[in-house]
Amino acid sequence: MAEPLLITVAPTGAETAKADCPQLPTTPEELAATAADCEAAGAAMIHIHVRDAEHRPTLDQGLLREWVAAVRSSSSLVVQLSTGGSVHDPLEERLKVLDAAPDSCSLTMGTTNFGDDVFLNPWPFVAELYQLAQSRGIAPEFELFDLGHVHSLGRLLAKYGPPAGGKVHVDFVMGVPGGMPGTAPALVAGVAALPPGVTSWSATGIGRSTLSVAMASLSMGGHLRVGMEDVLTISRGVPVESNAQLVSRAVELGRLAQRTPMTPAECRTLLGLD
Ligand code: KMH
Ligand code: ZN
């Protein structure tokens, strides 16, 4: 039987303004409703970026805790907090994200150009964040924006050993201007370069690469991340109505590939959280 399909939803991100996209969940109430809808649609994990009362990205500790609690109150989704934040967030604040006690945290494996900006992830920061996650029993999801990040992951695991739960889950984030392209050949190269010890991988394609990356991932037995952090149109020129709509489409693609959506409990096992 084919392996269950992990669908992670990334509903908000740090890049889109509420004014440009009113359906983007930017309050704890909207996130709670989104989490419930996405779990019902087939998601097992949620990747969270927090917004303040003016809908701006923030790493405020009180709000981080409030958003985590909101998701836990409305769903049983595995809670992953972004430690990437926005390109403007200081490294010290990004380390403190783990104080909000998520199940999982994103951990990007190197600095990358990010459109006109730079998404900063110097090696000492990566190493410190990783060891902090190990000591707290938080499952990292290694975000790989480029082939060099795949190599750096091997270096990190060789130096500091596996995560606390023993599982190594990675996510290829493809199609960011400045990172690897969202194409099947790029994903094939990334998967071929994964270091020993990686136990599961998913992929997401930003913007117009979303469908081709999803189909390439499914064709290789990978998992999926979808959501309005990564794409705002469901087809050319047609805005996404909700995050659940993107999760439902991922479920449908998985069904064609004879994969059934993974439950949050199965996701916990996948990440070594049980
Ligand atoms: N917002 C990007 C600068 C992550 O969540 O860890 C970084 C990002 C990756 O979205
Ligand atoms: Zn993110």
Side-chain angles (χ1 to χ4, degrees):
M1 216 172 84
E3 193 196 357
L5 173 65
L6 168 62
I7 300 172
T8 300
V9 63
T12 305
E15 282 73 38
T16 301
K18 180 77 163 178
D20 295 336
C21 184
Q23 64 275 41
L24 193 76
T26 54
T27 68
E29 295 75 22
E30 288 172 349
L31 188 74
T34 295
D37 292 347
C38 290
E39 183 177 10
M45 179 152 70
I46 187 164
H47 167 88
I48 303 174
H49 289 254
V50 171
R51 300 292 178 102
D52 66 15
E54 276 76 49
H55 311 284
R56 295 172 306 210
T58 179
L59 293 181
D60 176 86
Q61 190 59 218
L63 288 173
L64 284 166
R65 287 172 191 269
E66 194 182 339
W67 281 52
V68 169
V71 170
R72 296 209 195 281
S73 73
S74 71
S75 78
S76 51
L77 294 176
V78 176
V79 174
Q80 179 182 98
L81 279 179
S82 166
T83 65
S86 87
V87 288
H88 309 294
D89 287 322
L91 299 179
E92 312 79 59
E93 275 189 45
R94 289 170 53 193
L95 287 171
K96 289 197 195 121
V97 165
L98 300 199
D99 294 348
D103 304 306
S104 172
C105 65
S106 60
L107 202 171
T108 297
M109 284 311 305
T111 295
T112 187
N113 282 328
F114 196 86
D116 292 346
D117 297 301
V118 175
F119 178 29
L120 202 61
N121 296 283
W123 177 259
F125 167 76
V126 168
E128 189 176 350
L129 180 56
Y130 183 49
Q131 290 172 91
L132 203 56
Q134 280 177 317
S135 69
R136 306 256 179 108
I138 295 169
E141 176 182 275
F142 299 100
E143 311 294 347
L144 310 175
F145 287 68
D146 221 333
L147 208 50
H149 295 185
V150 186
H151 178 72
S152 292
L153 174 62
R155 191 176 156 216
L156 189 80
L157 296 174
K159 180 146 192 208
Y160 297 105
K167 301 291 179 66
V168 181
H169 177 67
V170 314
D171 180 46
F172 292 95
V173 185
M174 311 178 71
V176 169
M180 67 182 130
T183 61
L187 184 61
V188 168
V191 171
L194 286 173
V198 170
T199 49
S200 59
W201 61 269
S202 64
T204 189
I206 305 301
R208 70 187 63 170
S209 72
T210 190
L211 271 175
S212 48
V213 168
M215 290 191 216
S217 179
L218 288 170
S219 77
M220 296 170 71
H223 299 285
L224 300 179
R225 178 177 115 172
V226 298
M228 294 172 71
E229 173 167 344
D230 300 337
V231 66
L232 293 167
T233 52
I234 195 77
S235 57
R236 187 184 289 259
V238 180
V240 169
E241 288 167 14
S242 68
N243 280 284
Q245 183 187 25
L246 291 169
V247 173
S248 296
R249 182 168 71 174
V251 170
E252 178 63 10
L253 291 173
R255 192 185 63 74
L256 293 170
Q258 303 190 351
R259 307 271 296 275
T260 48
M262 188 175 282
T263 64
E266 290 172 323
C267 176
R268 287 182 174 280
T269 304
L270 184 94
L271 297 177
L273 285 168
D274 44 3

